[in-house]
Amino acid sequence: MRIVVFGTGQIYREMKKYLSKHDAVVGFLDNNRLLWETQIDNITIFNPEDISRLNYDKIVLMSVHALEMRKQLLKLGCDKNDILHYLEYIDLQSCGELHFLFPTNKKDVDYKKRSLIITTVLGYDGGSIAAIYAALALQKKGYDAVIAAPEGNAIFIDEIRKRGISVILYKNLTYAKERELFRVNIFDDVLVNTFQMSSCAIELAKRRKVILWIHEPRICYQWMEYWVEEIQKNITQKNLKVYAVCSIARENFLEKISMKSIGILPYGIPDEPVKEEYRGNQFTFAMVGLISDRKGQDIFGRAIEKMKEKKETCTFLVIGKNSQDTCGKIIEEQAKKDSKMQLLGELPHEEVMKYWCDIDVLVVASREDMLPIVATEAMMSGKVCILSEIIGTAEYIQEGYSGLTFAAENSDELAEKMIWCVEHKSMLKRMGESSRKVYDKYFSMEVFGDRLEAVLSEEESA
């Protein structure tokens, strides 16, 4: 193709290595008038208003201001089909290249149906894990469930295959067009997981019934702003039904996308028994998940400091990859000074599960969270959770009976709840048993499988 690149700043410098050797850059556009008629990489930079002078096939937007650039080009008379976000351009180069990864221990079973679960990049995040658990729940119902994603973490994918699930990797899946998705017709049901995959769901829904299952915080809609207008135009088609994992995810969606209503479809997780062992006198609190501003480990850190002398009888575990944002740097510095705090880094799921026998109380201090899987794992393990009241899981907790909550970002109140747990250790077993009952009632795989099958059956009969 002959392409015009709009943007000559940091995004271009970082992404130009992905420009295809088969494509020719015939010019650059930039709104900085000081750059007009100068050159970058021996190619001329033009005023965007001169776009009609250039002979091109596509315009690639390489800037954080891609949305504004697209609007500018449309006003200048450019065809919307000729404009590509740089992420779309990069993925488009892999159009047609599918990779099939079969299970390492596939069972010889006569399945009653074949279901496809399409999700975003596979990794140790809540959305990916929810997709895997959906596949496992459908397996138990007699479905052959297959996962499809643009790409993924190799270790995580190996874990999926060991569970008897096939994986399809297709780099251009997020932005795939209808003509690329014809293979989906071999599946009886299609569930598209996460708002990031909305464009794919919309394309599929042109020919078949599709379920879109969303989990996202508000910040995700800012990241997706470039595509939101197009999603809004097409998401109300009759073949596409939208479900949210919890009421907070639903509210976030409806703030940006105008629809009358969408359903609620909570996930479930497998029951994995925790081996209880005698661990001495150290009372252990833990936070598990990406160390980031949104997850709020810094709030946990401040609460630890406010526990004063009670802190000396405790251990504080922080498990998860450090994003190295403001929160990440704060908690890293605190751990260097406080021997009671242990940063264990990112661990495979199996390793995390081994720590549940050491954990007395899980803290979820998120500034925003939907239905964090780690909280559900704690309830499954019969552990007490202290939850920020703004996360979705808090809706299922009865205060002082099956868990504890605190006001969002209030480290003083969190410290009080943590101290209460240390002082009332004898009550935690009863609370843990009640916490487990919440898991059994709302988040077991049996309950999840029933919900999923009911949703799929409803869409088939609609």
Side-chain angles (χ1 to χ4, degrees):
M1 294 189 298
R2 295 160 298 179
I3 64 172
V4 172
V5 175
F6 197 162
T8 60
Q10 181 179 351
I11 296 293
Y12 169 70
R13 292 192 295 272
E14 293 176 354
M15 297 295 163
K16 66 179 182 179
K17 61 186 176 184
Y18 296 111
L19 291 171
S20 173
K21 63 182 179 180
H22 302 295
D23 295 338
V25 179
V26 298
F28 286 92
L29 304 178
D30 202 292
N31 282 312
N32 184 349
R33 63 178 61 248
L34 297 177
L35 298 178
W36 297 345
E37 302 305 326
T38 65
Q39 291 192 336
I40 182 171
D41 294 337
N42 299 315
I43 301 170
T44 302
I45 302 172
F46 295 92
N47 179 344
E49 295 188 1
D50 293 333
I51 185 63
S52 60
R53 293 169 48 189
L54 302 176
N55 185 15
Y56 63 89
D57 297 302
K58 298 290 181 182
I59 304 171
V60 181
L61 310 179
M62 288 194 167
S63 170
V64 294
H65 303 294
L67 179 61
E68 292 81 1
M69 288 175 167
R70 183 178 66 182
K71 292 178 179 179
Q72 182 180 1
L73 291 171
L74 293 176
K75 286 183 179 180
L76 292 171
C78 297
D79 188 326
K80 70 175 184 178
N81 295 317
D82 293 337
I83 304 170
L84 291 174
H85 191 281
Y86 69 90
L87 292 176
E88 295 173 326
Y89 170 81
I90 291 169
D91 286 357
L92 185 62
Q93 294 177 46
S94 300
C95 181
E97 298 177 8
L98 272 75
H99 300 274
F100 293 87
L101 303 173
F102 297 104
T104 55
N105 59 347
K106 185 75 171 180
K107 296 179 180 179
D108 187 13
V109 178
D110 289 328
Y111 294 103
K112 62 183 181 183
K113 285 186 178 180
R114 300 190 72 191
S115 297
L116 180 66
I117 299 173
I118 295 175
T119 192
T120 188
V121 177
L122 289 166
Y124 294 97
D125 60 87
S128 294
I129 295 170
I132 306 314
Y133 291 160
L136 292 174
L138 289 174
Q139 275 187 349
K140 287 191 173 183
K141 287 289 185 179
Y143 292 64
D144 181 15
V146 176
I147 300 287
E151 56 187 326
N153 177 287
I155 297 174
F156 186 75
I157 290 173
D158 283 343
E159 291 181 9
I160 297 171
R161 295 170 65 201
K162 288 176 183 176
R163 290 174 178 255
I165 302 171
S166 297
V167 177
I168 301 172
L169 299 180
Y170 182 48
K171 179 72 173 175
N172 196 44
L173 187 57
T174 307
Y175 312 109
K177 299 305 179 184
E178 185 182 0
R179 66 181 181 276
E180 299 171 67
L181 299 168
F182 66 92
R183 294 178 182 85
V184 171
N185 292 331
I186 67 173
F187 294 95
D188 298 291
D189 306 298
V190 179
L191 185 150
V192 179
N193 185 49
T194 78
F195 182 70
Q196 294 95 310
M197 301 303 292
S198 295
S199 296
C200 180
I202 287 167
E203 286 295 313
L204 285 168
K206 291 178 179 178
R207 287 189 175 272
R208 61 168 303 140
K209 294 185 183 298
V210 178
I211 293 169
L212 176 62
W213 191 29
I214 58 172
H215 312 250
E216 285 66 40
R218 285 188 179 88
I219 188 66
C220 175
Y221 294 89
Q222 295 178 27
W223 299 334
M224 291 285 292
E225 188 177 18
Y226 179 84
W227 295 276
V228 164
E229 183 178 341
E230 196 65 25
I231 291 170
Q232 176 67 78
K233 288 179 183 177
N234 297 285
I235 204 165
T236 56
Q237 56 187 300
K238 65 178 183 179
N239 275 347
L240 182 59
K241 299 297 181 183
V242 184
Y243 289 82
V245 75
C246 65
S247 60
I248 296 174
R250 177 174 61 187
E251 291 164 9
N252 291 343
F253 177 85
L254 294 176
E255 280 180 12
K256 283 292 183 180
I257 306 296
S258 297
M259 293 183 73
K260 289 183 179 178
S261 65
I262 63 175
I264 297 291
L265 178 61
Y267 60 70
I269 69 170
D271 191 357
E272 301 180 56
V274 175
K275 184 179 179 182
E276 292 291 348
E277 298 177 357
Y278 178 71
R279 299 170 288 106
N281 296 320
Q282 286 292 302
F283 192 99
T284 302
F285 293 94
M287 279 197 72
V288 183
L290 178 70
I291 302 174
S292 65
D293 292 339
R294 187 170 71 86
K295 292 294 186 179
Q297 284 86 354
D298 57 318
I299 301 168
F300 181 50
R302 289 197 296 274
I304 292 170
E305 292 176 342
K306 292 171 181 178
M307 291 179 70
K308 298 181 180 178
E309 67 275 4
K310 292 293 182 183
K311 184 177 78 170
E312 298 309 311
T313 62
C314 301
T315 296
F316 306 93
L317 303 181
V318 180
I319 302 172
K321 181 180 179 181
N322 194 332
S323 66
Q324 293 297 329
D325 59 8
T326 302
C327 173
K329 292 173 182 176
I330 288 173
I331 209 73
E332 195 172 69
E333 287 301 312
Q334 183 173 348
K336 289 177 182 178
K337 300 174 184 176
D338 189 346
S339 62
K340 291 292 183 178
M341 181 182 288
Q342 300 177 24
L343 302 189
L344 302 181
E346 184 178 28
L347 299 175
H349 174 74
E350 291 85 350
E351 291 296 316
V352 175
M353 291 307 298
K354 291 178 183 177
Y355 276 95
W356 282 118
C357 66
D358 293 323
I359 296 169
D360 292 289
V361 174
L362 177 79
V363 175
V364 183
S366 304
R367 291 179 167 88
E368 184 185 20
D369 225 332
M370 304 304 103
L371 209 61
I373 283 177
V374 66
T376 313
E377 288 178 346
M379 291 188 289
M380 178 269 295
S381 303
K383 303 294 181 176
V384 174
C385 296
I386 305 179
L387 306 167
S388 168
E389 64 184 10
I390 62 169
I391 75 167
T393 314
E395 298 176 12
Y396 297 88
I397 294 297
Q398 185 176 345
E399 182 71 19
Y401 178 73
S402 54
L404 299 167
T405 61
F406 69 99
E409 298 203 49
N410 191 327
S411 57
D412 290 320
E413 188 175 353
L414 175 55
E416 290 173 7
K417 296 296 174 77
M418 291 167 70
I419 291 170
W420 184 91
C421 288
V422 175
E423 293 178 341
H424 297 82
K425 188 173 181 178
S426 61
M427 297 178 63
L428 297 187
K429 183 177 180 181
R430 187 268 301 164
M431 289 180 67
E433 291 170 352
S434 299
S435 179
R436 168 69 196 205
K437 289 178 181 178
V438 174
Y439 163 79
D440 290 333
K441 184 175 181 178
Y442 298 105
F443 301 113
S444 71
M445 290 296 274
E446 290 74 17
V447 171
F448 185 30
D450 290 344
R451 281 195 297 250
L452 265 178
E453 190 167 46
V455 166
L456 294 176
S457 299
E458 180 182 342
E459 299 312 315
E460 288 171 8
S461 60

